[in-house]
Amino acid sequence: MSVEVRLLGPFEIVAGARWIDLGHARQRSVLAVLVLALNQVVSSDQLLDRVWGDRAPQRARDSLHSYLSRLRAALAPVPGLVIERRPPGYVLLGEPDAVDVIRFRTLVRRAATAGSDEDAERLLAEALSLWRGDALGSLAGSWFDGVRAELAEQRHAAELDRYDALLRLGRHAESVVELPRIAQLHPWDERITAQLMLSLYRCGRPALALETYQRLRVRLAEELGTDPGPAVRELFQQILSADPALEAPTAHAVAGAPAAAPSSSAPAVPRQLPMRPRSFVGRAAELAALDRWLGDVPQDLGPGIVVISGGGGLGKTWLALRWATDNVDRFPDGQLHADLAGFDPVRDPADPMTLLRGFLEALGVEPERIPAERDPLTGMFRSLTADRSLLIVLDNARDSDAVLPLLPGAVGNSRVLITSRRRLSGLAVTHGARAVVLTALPDDDAQALVLRRLGRDPRPAELPALKEITQLCGGVPLALAIVGARAAGSPEKALSATAEELRDEAARLDLMNTGEVTTDLRAALTTSHRALGRAAAAAFDLLGVIPGPDFGLHAFASLTALRLPEARAAADELVAAGLLHESGHDRYGVHDLVRLYAREQLPVDAGRDSPALTRFLDHYLHTAHAAEMLLSPKREPLTLPRTVLGVVVPHLLDTDAAIAWFTAELPALVAAVGAAGASGRDVQAHQLAWTLATFCGHRGRWRDWVLAQHVAVASARHCGDAAALAEALRLLGQAYSTGHQFEQASENYLLALDAFTRTGDLAGRAHVHFDLALLMDRQGRPADAAPYAERSLEDFRAAGDNHGVAVALNAVGWYHCELGDYRRGIGCCQQALSVARSINSVYCESNALDSLGYAYHHLGRYAEAIEYYRHALTLLREMGDRTSSAIALDHLGDSYQEAGDVMRARLTWQAALAEFEDVSHPEADQVRRKLLAPVEL
């Protein structure tokens, strides 16, 4: 039975003559994701992200499992298509030829390497025949929109390549039928316009060809204020003069007969490009950018220049040669290539004048006519190239000075493609150069590169190891190619053995070495390192101590003990060298393999006693503590150790600044807690974890909070600080409670209660009693919560803690309300409100207002409830407490509903749902049900 999986149009699966029922839209979306990654494991998190995006409901994972179960049943009668569970997700196993997207891409790739235009056109026509409409049909979502757009671009490129082949074959009568429709869909595409003009001219319609050009010219002038590019303008002039060169090729020429040998007076046409890279995969976006900037885009002010930059091993040369070899036909006057050896591990940088003499000889200048001096030499080159259409590839440039003498004349249609580990920003200023900055390959492309070097398909059991290999190589093409080649050299060895070798951080860089300096990742990083200035090199050597995924400028300044301007300059140099990447404004990240190399530059004993790590952690501790006190000013501050010399602490003005800082830095903070604990800096570890409480609690980031608090508990135990241990246990309970992990929360609260009792800390014990009350309440047990709240109130009063008294009074009142005693509850909450205002506690005031809103709502006094809720919501938003804001919005919507304002109720619930979903709160489903209920006006 034949099976067809169709995505190039409405999504459907046909087995024989039977259309398979794939279920509702969301379920079909799950299957489509698996089809597009056929025979590759897709993690559950990836499925959730691609199908639901940022709006995944709380129980999306349960829904996902249900959909997959139904899909397995639906595919049971389909031969050769099976969904299997493979940690960390699922894989759809099947024959690639059954999927039209895969067949389309395979045919297009075959066409690109076909031996003749006839074969290329036939393969492209077959590929395009698979399309039945817009790709992916009605599948909705941002991820599907991205895939749909990518496929549409690939279809468009295949169409244009086919029309070029038709014209080279003299089959203009076919292209002229289809091109007007395509040109109408893409009115700005000059390549299509040129194809249509040439087709019309060859079909005996020169007037219409000229009119087509005039329409394009007017459109560009009116809409963009520019003129058509040189290629289209030249074609226009050729049509005007009835240039014989435009005549359709004869059958003899089409058949591929060799051209006549050039006369001795014909200009030399150099063909210096190296072999097309065989291991190239991916980089579709970068290739598309090169097409836009080096292809048909007008460059009236000079030659089009693009600089491909990125760290060592990221595949800059491969990308440049891939685009260059794919586009040789666009440059009829030839292609020049030079390796400038700017970062070569064994050679000195090449002399530009020597390279220039080689270029002139390749262009037909006799050696004895080539000047010896620099200015006449560059002048001759620019004069000779001024009216030509050349592609010049300058590989591995160290700086702009190495490139400038090799740029062609300012007139003509030449293009220059430069690769460098630096961004060569000066060329953008002086010559309008465009930039393509390479980063690591995405997982799918990284796996494809390993498999290409491996030379075989992975066995099903090897798929997890393949994924791990690509992650450990960090998506660096050179590392992936080396590891793939090593694995291919031992065919009896499973990929799991290679993955196991790579897990050893100490030996990982050793494995990324083929024994030759040109294919050694460590050697590539070494050349980048040696090219740095003194300050940047010293800063780079400290990157190995950074524990987190990224860091801010102030953290970098603290690490390096540099002032901010010097730190920014050093960071900019490292970014320009591809050894750091910018992850946001004044934020930087370092690749894992670069971090490993930097760690090798550290002294052997630099881990535990590193002054740089101490400064780095001090920066985070003091800044996080200041931010925490802005978010929770009534919290008793910590007694922090004094900062060491060189630490930079930014000044945070207000709660908005504190929230923004925590939002950017939370992953780095959690990593910093772990680094402090691992290096024996126990005080820094438990104090850093303490600073996360308010932000993580407000934002529902309980998993990060739990990780940090486990380190805090261990560190407090290790240093024997009983008070710190008690507080760390309490905060660990809070973190678990925030995530509704009630059993773990209760266990840690009871341990904390015992610890506070043993230390005689009444206020600490009061806090734990309050936390236990809140825990009971979250489980829907107000009768059990009330006694804990009352004990908390007693302890706070005994400790003289007015802030705690306000909190506990409100809690006691809340539980009375939940148990139906609204009058008594209102009395307690009014007392709490009075105390809160007397001590100027926004936190306590907002909670009391919310409780009073709840009480008056249940007494049927909805107008008063609405006012209390709205006032509470204003204060909660000022504090940035999104979880409590969402709860208040939900309750406010209830009051609007009961008051008869149905539309305002629904708008308020929608706002509450958005907040709940953003913090992954379980009450989102309850609000969603309210919104799904019928509206009664």
Side-chain angles (χ1 to χ4, degrees):
M1 180 190 301
S2 64
V3 177
E4 294 181 14
V5 183
R6 302 171 178 172
L7 287 161
L8 300 178
F11 177 33
E12 54 192 31
I13 297 179
V14 182
R18 175 187 173 191
W19 268 255
I20 305 302
D21 183 3
L22 303 179
H24 55 73
R26 191 78 75 183
Q27 184 169 301
R28 294 163 66 85
S29 297
V30 171
L31 182 57
V33 172
L34 293 175
V35 170
L36 288 165
L38 189 72
N39 297 323
Q40 299 178 44
V41 175
V42 182
S43 71
S44 298
D45 288 340
Q46 286 177 314
L47 280 166
L48 290 169
D49 181 63
R50 294 174 183 181
V51 173
W52 280 275
D54 295 334
R55 296 293 182 182
Q58 182 66 25
R59 298 185 180 177
R61 200 172 294 271
D62 293 338
S63 300
L64 175 64
H65 296 159
S66 175
Y67 297 163
L68 287 161
S69 177
R70 295 175 198 163
L71 287 169
R72 283 197 188 97
L75 295 179
V78 180
L81 279 183
V82 179
I83 297 175
E84 289 187 3
R85 175 80 173 96
R86 291 188 184 172
Y90 299 85
V91 60
L92 176 66
L93 301 176
E95 289 297 325
D97 280 346
V99 181
D100 59 2
V101 169
I102 297 176
R103 286 173 58 205
F104 168 78
R105 288 171 169 164
T106 300
L107 289 165
V108 170
R109 284 196 300 271
R110 288 174 57 195
T113 57
S116 67
D117 286 327
E118 290 94 336
D119 289 340
E121 191 280 327
R122 175 180 52 78
L123 291 166
L124 289 169
E126 183 180 350
L128 292 166
S129 70
L130 298 172
W131 286 76
R132 300 168 293 109
D134 291 337
L136 310 183
S138 60
L139 297 179
S142 60
W143 186 81
F144 288 108
D145 290 342
V147 175
R148 185 180 290 111
E150 180 183 353
L151 286 170
E153 289 179 4
Q154 293 170 3
R155 179 187 189 180
H156 182 55
E159 288 176 326
L160 297 190
D161 288 344
R162 177 172 173 261
Y163 296 137
D164 279 340
L166 287 172
L167 289 168
R168 287 194 297 270
L169 291 167
R171 292 164 57 183
H172 42 270
E174 296 176 48
S175 62
V176 80
V177 174
E178 303 171 18
L179 274 169
R181 176 184 62 84
I182 304 298
Q184 191 171 16
L185 294 174
H186 303 277
W188 308 102
D189 194 318
E190 295 186 21
R191 184 179 172 193
I192 296 175
T193 300
Q195 290 173 336
L196 179 56
M197 289 168 61
L198 183 56
S199 298
L200 290 168
Y201 177 80
R202 288 181 176 175
C203 288
R205 303 166 72 183
L208 187 53
L210 296 173
E211 182 183 334
T212 300
Y213 171 85
Q214 293 295 349
R215 284 200 301 268
L216 173 68
R217 186 187 62 78
V218 171
R219 187 183 301 116
L220 289 173
E222 291 179 349
E223 300 292 334
L224 301 179
T226 187
D227 292 323
V232 184
R233 292 203 308 270
E234 181 181 355
L235 178 59
F236 172 72
Q237 293 297 331
Q238 288 178 295
I239 293 173
L240 277 176
S241 61
D243 189 340
L246 296 184
E247 294 300 324
T250 63
H252 183 70
V254 169
S263 67
S264 58
S265 61
V269 180
R271 306 289 186 188
Q272 293 188 339
L273 292 179
M275 183 178 66
R276 176 187 175 94
R278 297 183 61 187
S279 295
F280 185 88
V281 298
R283 303 295 191 198
E286 290 85 355
L287 287 168
L290 293 175
D291 277 336
R292 291 195 301 273
W293 295 337
L294 295 176
D296 298 326
V297 178
Q299 298 286 347
D300 294 335
L301 300 180
I305 303 173
V306 173
V307 178
I308 302 173
S309 64
L314 284 177
K316 301 178 292 297
T317 300
W318 289 358
L319 174 62
L321 292 180
R322 174 58 182 266
W323 190 90
T325 54
D326 282 353
N327 290 276
V328 290
D329 58 325
R330 298 187 181 185
F331 304 96
D333 292 326
Q335 305 87 42
L336 297 170
H337 175 272
D339 181 0
L340 278 63
F343 296 90
D344 194 283
V346 294
R347 292 186 295 154
D348 291 333
D351 175 20
M353 296 302 103
T354 301
L355 296 175
L356 199 51
R357 291 185 184 94
F359 280 177
L360 288 170
E361 288 186 27
L363 291 168
V365 180
E366 297 175 355
E368 60 270 19
R369 292 183 54 235
I370 298 176
E373 300 299 322
R374 178 187 179 98
D375 288 346
L377 189 62
T378 55
M380 175 180 280
F381 178 68
R382 290 167 186 162
S383 297
L384 195 59
T385 57
D387 58 353
R388 297 197 185 190
S389 178
L390 288 163
L391 174 62
I392 303 174
V393 179
L394 304 175
D395 193 22
N396 201 7
R398 190 179 185 90
D399 51 37
S400 298
D401 288 342
V403 168
L404 290 174
L406 304 172
L407 298 181
V411 184
N413 198 32
S414 292
R415 302 289 186 265
V416 183
L417 190 51
I418 303 167
T419 73
S420 178
R421 296 187 189 179
R422 295 173 175 164
R423 296 193 178 180
L424 307 187
S425 301
L427 287 178
V429 176
T430 59
H431 289 73
R434 302 294 189 105
V436 172
V437 181
L438 294 192
T439 57
L441 288 173
D443 288 347
D444 291 348
D445 290 339
Q447 291 178 24
L449 178 52
V450 173
L451 293 178
R452 183 165 294 186
R453 282 302 179 98
L454 188 64
R456 64 172 176 84
D457 291 333
R459 294 181 281 274
E462 293 179 311
L463 291 174
L466 174 62
K467 181 176 181 180
E468 185 179 6
I469 287 169
T470 59
Q471 290 173 342
L472 292 173
C473 289
V476 174
L478 178 59
L480 293 162
I482 292 171
V483 170
R486 289 176 67 95
S490 303
E492 72 286 350
K493 185 194 301 185
L495 288 179
S496 56
T498 302
E500 184 176 357
E501 291 175 339
L502 289 172
R503 288 186 201 118
D504 182 1
E505 286 191 352
R508 191 175 302 163
L509 289 176
D510 294 330
L511 296 172
M512 296 173 185
N513 173 20
T514 63
E516 300 179 9
V517 72
T518 56
T519 50
D520 180 349
L521 184 61
R522 185 184 279 109
L525 294 172
T526 299
T527 54
S528 293
H529 185 204
R530 289 175 179 169
L532 296 172
R534 179 179 299 176
F540 175 81
D541 291 346
L542 299 176
L543 294 180
V545 306
I546 294 176
D550 64 355
F551 49 89
L553 178 63
H554 293 83
F556 184 67
S558 300
L559 176 80
T560 57
L562 294 170
R563 294 186 305 151
L564 282 177
E566 288 81 3
R568 181 179 280 109
D572 288 345
E573 185 174 348
L574 291 171
V575 169
L579 296 171
L580 281 184
H581 59 266
E582 294 174 291
S583 57
H585 177 65
D586 278 348
R587 293 198 64 75
Y588 308 93
V590 56
H591 193 283
D592 286 343
L593 295 178
V594 175
R595 191 197 311 269
L596 285 179
Y597 176 79
R599 196 171 294 163
E600 292 181 351
Q601 313 312 307
L602 292 169
V604 176
D605 60 349
R608 186 179 184 88
D609 301 321
S610 166
L613 180 58
T614 300
R615 293 192 300 269
F616 190 75
L617 295 176
D618 265 4
H619 156 79
Y620 276 112
L621 174 57
H622 285 263
T623 311
H625 186 265
E628 168 64 8
M629 298 318 297
L630 284 169
L631 297 184
S632 187
K634 297 301 180 181
R635 196 176 180 195
E636 185 70 25
L638 296 174
T639 301
L640 301 180
R642 293 181 62 182
T643 61
V644 298
L645 187 64
V647 174
V648 181
V649 179
H651 178 59
L652 303 176
L653 294 175
D654 50 28
T655 56
D656 287 342
I659 291 169
W661 187 84
F662 269 125
T663 301
E665 295 286 2
L666 185 60
L669 281 165
V670 175
V673 174
S679 62
R681 292 168 169 82
D682 295 321
V683 174
Q684 285 176 310
H686 66 70
Q687 288 190 335
L688 261 171
W690 181 94
T691 67
L692 305 181
T694 303
F695 180 79
C696 288
H698 286 182
R699 294 303 175 99
R701 299 295 295 269
W702 66 273
R703 291 182 177 86
D704 292 319
W705 194 7
V706 164
L707 287 174
Q709 283 305 137
H710 271 296
V711 176
V713 169
S715 295
R717 282 198 175 111
H718 184 260
C719 68
D721 189 333
L725 175 60
E727 181 67 2
L729 287 166
R730 183 178 81 86
L731 293 177
L732 181 56
Q734 280 190 359
Y736 276 124
S737 179
T738 301
H740 287 235
Q741 308 296 302
F742 299 129
E743 184 176 344
Q744 296 95 322
S746 178
E747 176 185 340
N748 284 283
Y749 281 149
L750 293 175
L751 289 172
L753 188 63
D754 179 63
F756 279 122
T757 300
R758 282 189 282 107
T759 61
D761 187 343
L762 279 176
R765 193 174 68 180
H767 280 296
V768 179
H769 279 136
F770 177 82
D771 291 334
L772 283 165
L774 183 59
L775 181 66
M776 299 298 122
D777 186 46
R778 281 178 171 161
Q779 297 175 79
R781 297 160 56 187
D784 295 326
Y788 280 118
E790 287 166 354
R791 285 180 216 158
S792 173
L793 179 58
E794 293 170 6
D795 284 341
F796 277 129
R797 280 177 170 156
D801 186 341
N802 286 334
H803 181 270
V805 167
V807 171
L809 272 170
N810 178 66
V812 171
W814 173 263
Y815 299 131
H816 282 313
C817 291
E818 284 202 309
L819 293 170
D821 191 348
Y822 299 110
R823 302 291 180 185
R824 187 175 176 187
I826 287 172
C828 290
C829 292
Q830 289 286 8
Q831 291 181 57
L833 184 62
S834 177
V835 175
R837 287 173 172 167
S838 72
I839 61 173
N840 196 29
S841 172
V842 177
Y843 169 78
C844 296
E845 183 179 357
S846 64
N847 283 342
L849 290 166
D850 182 76
S851 299
L852 288 166
Y854 178 86
Y856 281 107
H857 174 93
H858 285 82
L859 288 173
R861 294 161 64 175
Y862 303 119
E864 292 166 275
I866 288 168
E867 285 306 308
Y868 279 120
Y869 280 140
R870 290 175 63 181
H871 192 179
L873 187 59
T874 299
L875 297 180
L876 289 167
R877 283 176 168 165
E878 286 178 5
M879 294 189 297
D881 188 343
R882 299 183 68 183
T883 301
S884 298
S885 295
I887 294 171
L889 281 166
D890 181 21
H891 294 164
L892 177 59
D894 294 342
S895 294
Y896 278 132
Q897 177 80 0
E898 293 300 327
D901 195 341
V902 178
M903 288 299 100
R904 187 167 291 179
R906 296 187 68 79
L907 290 171
T908 306
W909 284 332
Q910 287 171 0
L913 179 60
E915 294 278 5
F916 277 134
E917 289 180 337
D918 281 347
V919 298
S920 302
H921 199 282
E923 290 187 26
D925 286 341
Q926 179 182 339
V927 179
R928 197 174 288 110
R929 284 192 291 271
K930 293 177 185 178
L931 288 167
L932 291 173
V935 179
E936 296 182 8
L937 299 176

